[in-house]
Amino acid sequence: MIRKETDTGQIHMNKAIHILLIEDDKNVSTYTTTTLENSGYKVTAAFSGKEGLGLTASLCPDILLLDLGLPDMDGCEVIRQIRSWHDSSRLPILVISARTREEEKVNALELGADDYLTKPFGNAELIARIRTSLRHRHPEMQRKVYRAKDLEIDFEKHRIRLAGAEIHLTQIEYQLLTLLAENSGRVLTYHHLIRTIWGPYADSNNQILRVNMANIRRKIEQNPAQPVYVFTEIGIGYRMLENEAV
Ligand code: CA
């Protein structure tokens, strides 16, 4: 259904994007629904995990907003069940939760959530994360170039420029940076990065990842201690500044 993204970053579709909100707190549900409807989304609300799973199967929403603390089952179980369905790989799942423990966020992401937002969150943040999650799951919306501030990555030409000057990365550094850039705006867990770059049998120790990230930062960040392109989410992973290219 998704057609294209315009210069302003608005997603234009032949119908409104349909969001399924699974949230048991009535106040949060009503407020979030109103906010999203005012932004042009169609919203269906579910108030339990079981109801949410049923509606996911019957309505085929474009994206799921999922609270983790549900009355009948843990939201992580909802993610696990949906990701076990054979045709669910293009459904973005954005977790919205009051839980702040790193392990719980990592667990939700490892089970197949695209991203998480910690409550309370702002409306602009919510809508930005929805757009990022939708884009990530739809390859036709992927862009050929990453551009933000002074950094430009041309994925087809394998070229990286900082303020117009070419930057040279090792093959591993390039793979790591482009993986983050292709998923810009989303957090990628340490485990996901290590598995994707070094393979499933790689040592899960983060040391090699940290060393490569330090090298990348030395090359692209003006002050590696205060990065503006790749941010550390302590205990979870890395998030790259959102792509501004159209
Ligand atoms: Ca709840």
Side-chain angles (χ1 to χ4, degrees):
M1 294 323 142
I2 292 171
R3 284 277 166 87
K4 63 172 184 144
E5 190 158 284
T6 65
D7 294 357
T8 55
Q10 295 287 307
I11 293 169
H12 276 213
M13 306 181 65
N14 55 356
K15 67 176 180 62
I17 291 170
H18 187 182
I19 297 172
L20 177 61
L21 172 64
I22 307 179
E23 164 66 79
D24 61 309
D25 184 316
K26 295 258 173 5
N27 289 331
V28 175
S29 177
T30 304
Y31 176 77
T32 307
T33 299
T34 306
T35 299
L36 293 171
E37 284 178 348
N38 288 343
S39 298
Y41 295 100
K42 178 182 170 189
V43 182
T44 301
F47 298 91
S48 70
K50 194 158 177 269
E51 186 188 9
L53 284 167
L55 289 173
T56 303
S58 61
L59 298 179
C60 297
D62 297 305
I63 182 167
L64 209 60
L65 290 192
L66 175 67
D67 178 32
L68 293 183
L70 297 169
D72 57 336
M73 66 172 79
D74 193 280
C76 283
E77 177 59 19
V78 175
I79 300 172
R80 202 191 58 72
Q81 288 199 27
I82 288 174
R83 287 295 182 239
S84 72
W85 302 347
H86 78 280
D87 57 349
S88 75
S89 66
R90 277 164 73 99
L91 174 65
I93 301 176
L94 178 55
V95 167
I96 47 171
S97 176
R99 295 181 191 172
T100 54
R101 286 176 55 224
E102 289 154 10
E103 310 89 271
E104 292 185 298
K105 294 176 178 177
V106 170
N107 188 34
L109 293 165
E110 294 291 336
L111 283 168
D114 291 78
D115 207 345
Y116 65 83
L117 265 175
T118 305
K119 291 176 186 170
F121 47 79
N123 295 342
E125 183 73 7
L126 173 62
I127 286 164
R129 293 293 181 83
I130 288 172
R131 281 179 35 212
T132 300
S133 297
L134 282 165
R135 189 181 306 120
H136 164 66
R137 290 279 168 184
H138 293 269
E140 67 275 16
M141 292 173 68
Q142 290 287 341
R143 286 165 281 191
K144 296 183 174 71
V145 174
Y146 172 92
R147 198 179 296 121
K149 298 185 191 281
D150 287 336
L151 183 65
E152 184 180 286
I153 304 171
D154 187 318
F155 299 121
E156 288 185 338
K157 293 179 182 154
H158 294 255
R159 194 174 59 200
I160 301 175
R161 284 187 166 142
L162 187 66
E166 194 149 346
I167 299 286
H168 297 282
L169 299 182
T170 67
Q171 200 176 343
I172 291 283
E173 289 163 7
Y174 180 82
Q175 286 175 13
L176 193 52
L177 187 63
T178 51
L179 181 59
L180 287 160
E182 282 165 352
N183 291 282
S184 69
R186 295 174 63 211
V187 66
L188 296 183
T189 65
Y190 298 125
H191 182 229
H192 176 81
L193 290 164
I194 291 169
R195 206 176 36 203
T196 306
I197 305 288
W198 286 278
Y201 304 110
D203 192 345
S204 61
N205 177 334
N206 294 345
Q207 185 58 23
I208 188 166
L209 181 59
R210 273 203 297 272
V211 168
N212 277 278
M213 190 55 67
N215 290 338
I216 291 171
R217 281 180 170 152
R218 252 203 343 268
K219 294 176 184 179
I220 66 167
E221 302 280 4
Q222 202 157 27
N223 178 1
Q226 286 182 312
V228 299
Y229 297 113
V230 182
F231 309 103
T232 302
E233 298 227 0
I234 294 165
I236 299 167
Y238 296 105
R239 185 192 300 273
M240 191 150 173
L241 182 66
E242 177 86 64
N243 192 352
E244 290 164 6
V246 292

Coordinates of all heavy atoms in Angstrom, one line a residue, residues 23-25 67-71 119, ligand 1:
E23 N -2.7 -1.8 24.0 CA -2.4 -1.0 25.2 C -3.6 -1.1 26.2 O -4.8 -0.8 25.8 CB -2.2 0.5 24.8 CG -2.3 1.5 25.9 CD -1.1 1.4 26.9 OE1 0.0 1.8 26.6 OE2 -1.4 0.8 28.0
D24 N -3.4 -1.6 27.4 CA -4.5 -1.8 28.3 C -4.9 -0.6 29.1 O -6.0 -0.5 29.6 CB -4.2 -3.0 29.3 CG -3.0 -2.6 30.1 OD1 -1.9 -2.3 29.6 OD2 -3.0 -2.7 31.4
D25 N -4.0 0.4 29.2 CA -4.4 1.7 29.9 C -5.3 2.5 29.0 O -4.9 3.0 28.0 CB -3.1 2.4 30.3 CG -3.3 3.6 31.1 OD1 -4.3 4.4 30.8 OD2 -2.6 3.9 32.1
D67 N 2.3 -2.2 23.9 CA 2.6 -2.0 25.4 C 3.1 -3.4 25.8 O 2.6 -4.4 25.4 CB 1.4 -1.6 26.1 CG 1.7 -1.4 27.6 OD1 2.8 -1.1 28.0 OD2 0.7 -1.7 28.4
L68 N 4.1 -3.4 26.8 CA 4.6 -4.7 27.2 C 3.8 -5.2 28.4 O 3.6 -6.4 28.6 CB 6.1 -4.6 27.6 CG 7.1 -4.4 26.4 CD1 8.5 -4.4 26.9 CD2 6.9 -5.4 25.3
G69 N 3.4 -4.3 29.3 CA 2.6 -4.8 30.5 C 1.2 -4.9 30.2 O 0.4 -4.0 30.4
L70 N 0.8 -6.1 29.7 CA -0.6 -6.3 29.4 C -1.3 -7.2 30.4 O -0.6 -8.0 31.1 CB -0.7 -7.0 28.0 CG -0.2 -6.1 26.9 CD1 -0.1 -6.8 25.6 CD2 -1.1 -4.9 26.7
P71 N -2.6 -7.2 30.6 CA -3.2 -7.9 31.7 C -3.2 -9.4 31.5 O -3.1 -10.2 32.5 CB -4.7 -7.4 31.7 CG -4.9 -6.8 30.3 CD -3.5 -6.3 29.9
K119 N 7.8 5.2 27.9 CA 6.8 6.2 28.3 C 7.3 7.0 29.5 O 8.1 6.5 30.3 CB 5.6 5.4 28.9 CG 4.8 4.7 27.8 CD 3.7 3.9 28.6 CE 2.9 3.0 27.6 NZ 2.0 2.1 28.3
Ligands
CA1 CA 0.1 -1.7 30.5

